[in-house]
Amino acid sequence: MHGAPADAADAADRIHLEPSWKARVGDYLRRPEMQQLSAFLRGRRDAGARIYPAARDIFAAFDATPFDAVKVVILGQDPYHGPGQAHGLCFSVQPGTAIPPSLDNMFKELQRDLGLPRPDNGCLLPWARQGVLLLNAVLTVEEGRAGAHAGKGWEGFTDHVVETLAREREGLVFLLWGAYAQKKGAVIDPRRHRVLKAPHPSPLSAHRGFLGCGHFSSANEFLARRGQSPIDWTLPPARPAAATGAPAGAG
């Protein structure tokens, strides 16, 4: 028992987390509930469960958008649970993967709001590299089982991430789509940050106010007023399969 805190510290130190994030939220990974989560994930892998995203991509949102680079935060729920989809950024899919319905509605709103053409792929990494933190509440899932890892400990960690951003940064834009994201974002002080709320872009709810919300232009207007560069919401085309020698759909 005497070795347990040291073991937890060693495990937390081994986790690959972008340094600026590790400095601010890394200590949370030492908590008992995170050790329990780690044991749960190991057990599920040992039992043959296929877990998404790949282990190297679980913290990809933090790798792509360091703490001080964050300008906009989009909160999702849990990763896509189909093969080849999830890669650690909420709503985003790997190149060569069909665009899911919620993301398709996001692209429809971008076209309506900013006149942008519909992208040919759903990889949102270019947004993340400009300062859009694409954060799911739950960072892992199992193939074919939406929400399989809900309530296992991830929510506390990502709550801590949101709370830390809200407290230590100022002038961020939080895009809270749907009741789940809005509840998670309840700790955000709207006097310090721009908080934009709308229904979820899912086909079940997008017509209730997501389509027409204007959040992409509103976010950029807020950033511009603060003297910051706006987000370029366009996405570059995926490389043609013929140019890479890869079969269509390879990602």
Side-chain angles (χ1 to χ4, degrees):
M1 288 295 290
H2 293 297
D7 292 345
D10 290 346
D13 289 339
R14 284 196 303 270
I15 290 174
H16 172 73
L17 188 62
E18 192 278 332
S20 67
W21 284 105
K22 197 160 196 171
R24 290 168 176 86
V25 301
D27 282 350
Y28 193 96
L29 298 172
R30 304 169 190 259
R31 293 171 64 130
E33 54 267 44
M34 297 306 289
Q35 304 310 309
Q36 292 164 12
L37 170 62
S38 181
F40 166 77
L41 292 173
R42 280 197 305 273
R44 293 303 299 142
R45 284 197 183 96
D46 290 347
R50 184 165 291 180
I51 295 175
Y52 298 133
R56 67 179 181 276
D57 291 332
I58 289 173
F59 295 105
F62 304 99
D63 292 337
T65 315
F67 184 84
D68 291 317
V70 177
K71 295 179 178 180
V72 178
V73 181
I74 299 179
L75 294 181
Q77 196 157 343
D78 71 343
Y80 296 119
H81 53 84
Q85 290 184 303
H87 62 131
L89 310 177
C90 76
F91 292 106
S92 181
V93 290
Q94 299 181 56
T97 305
I99 295 171
S102 293
L103 183 54
D104 193 47
N105 280 331
M106 290 164 59
F107 291 161
K108 287 177 183 175
E109 176 56 18
L110 273 168
Q111 189 170 27
R112 187 210 64 80
D113 187 20
L114 293 171
L116 301 183
R118 185 182 186 278
D120 70 353
N121 73 99
C123 180
L124 305 183
L125 189 58
W127 296 1
R129 287 177 173 156
Q130 295 177 75
V132 182
L133 181 66
L134 296 164
L135 181 66
N136 273 318
V138 177
L139 300 187
T140 55
V141 74
E142 292 179 22
E143 184 173 51
R145 298 182 60 215
H149 293 180
K152 302 298 183 182
W154 281 126
E155 294 92 339
F157 173 68
T158 54
D159 282 347
H160 183 60
V161 168
V162 172
E163 290 162 7
T164 303
L165 279 169
R167 182 180 65 250
E168 296 190 15
R169 294 289 310 278
E170 195 162 340
L172 301 179
V173 182
F174 287 86
L175 304 185
L176 307 180
W177 299 332
Y180 186 96
Q182 289 161 22
K183 183 179 179 183
K184 195 171 186 72
V187 299
I188 302 161
D189 184 348
R191 295 167 298 183
R192 286 174 60 90
H193 304 283
R194 183 81 166 102
V195 179
L196 299 173
K197 300 179 182 180
H200 194 278
S202 158
L204 300 174
S205 55
H207 61 282
R208 297 187 199 134
F210 176 81
L211 296 172
C213 70
H215 281 185
F216 299 104
S217 61
S218 294
N220 277 351
E221 288 162 9
F222 178 81
L223 293 172
R225 285 201 303 273
R226 292 183 56 84
Q228 293 184 273
S229 56
I231 305 300
D232 179 1
W233 297 104
T234 58
L235 292 174
R239 288 180 299 171
T244 63

